[in-house]
Amino acid sequence: MDVVKEEKQIIFPILVLVAYSTNVNAELLNGLQDTFVVVGDPINFTCSSNISADIHWERNDDVVYAGGSIKAPFTQRFRMNKNETTATLTLLNATLEDAAEFMCQENQGTGKKSTASLTVLESYPQCQSNMKLDGFVGPNGCGIQQDAMTFTCAVSFNGKNPPTLTWTSADVSLPIEKSVCENKTNRINCSLTVIATKEFHGSSITCLMVASNETPYNCSIRDINVNYLFAPASNPAEVKVKDEISCLAESNQALRFTWTSSHDNEEKVVGNNRSHAVQSPGLYWCNVSYTIRGIERFSVGPIVYASEQCTCQPTWIPWLVSGLLLIFSIIVVFFYIRCRKMKGEALHLATYAAISFMCRTYREGKIE
């Protein structure tokens, strides 16, 4: 009898524990998320449950891990790490063929699944610049003021979800002329064309690859060199002989200046300095240029007309004389009319005397 009682005491707590355990539903707490990996890099997939790390794994419906072991043909390149509630499946070195859909499923309760896509990049984004200088392709990060500078960023991938490529610059607002991205089969090519400006000189530009739930990758071209040349500013449109005119160009390069004059259909070079003193009448303009890697860039300033120094009287004197003559003529006509129409009328003494004098002068002149 004593033996039977002892067996019941042992069995009872075991049954209670089993019943308690089966009343808790296992749930998948953290599932998979779409991600990217570069060829040769490892990648971890992690799933966790609330009570157990007994999780089933598949790749494109092929079983990778189940029953406590990695299944063939995945035994060489996959590893499983588990603690009480979390399981991490590690792909040791990714290849393009590893781009697939992965699934984890907890096995203790609801059997809830989580799936995600793995996209494999051939390499990190490749970033380069291509600045055409009048047909000459310069090195990375070099352009000339107002030239089109084209930057390209490309990445090849295998998988469902292509990454997103964007352009940014922390130094200057990008003077964008054109931005194009082409999503070809398993490859994204993005190009950005900007106009080289003085403000762009010394800045940097970055191609940013945005991947879901990953730290963004980027490639940058730094310390962009823009050899800028601003056209000469305007001088006065008209100057005089012996005046000085200047070629007001701006550049970060050593400049050459050439002044040319045209008079009587004959052109000739008259100076090679930034400023020039006009020696004779005619048309004048400056050419400013510099040479970079054998290519000459130049800009032409506005035309200036130079005339002789004026030695005549001031221009306002003829206008003054003409005005006085006009006033005198009006007064003469006025008194003439008064003499004709107001003869014999009583007038104020001063007015009558003035009119009589004018009339008498008129008659005497007429008799003579």
Side-chain angles (χ1 to χ4, degrees), residues 60 99-101 117-120 157-162:
N60 284 351
E101 187 171 88
S117 294
L118 173 65
T119 298
V120 182
F157 66 95
N158 192 11
K160 286 185 177 181
N161 301 318

Side-chain angles (χ1 to χ4, degrees), residues 226-246:
V226 177
N227 299 303
Y228 58 87
L229 169 60
F230 289 144
S234 297
N235 283 281
E238 183 174 348
V239 297
K240 304 299 181 184
V241 172
K242 296 184 180 180
D243 284 350
E244 187 175 85
I245 49 181
S246 296

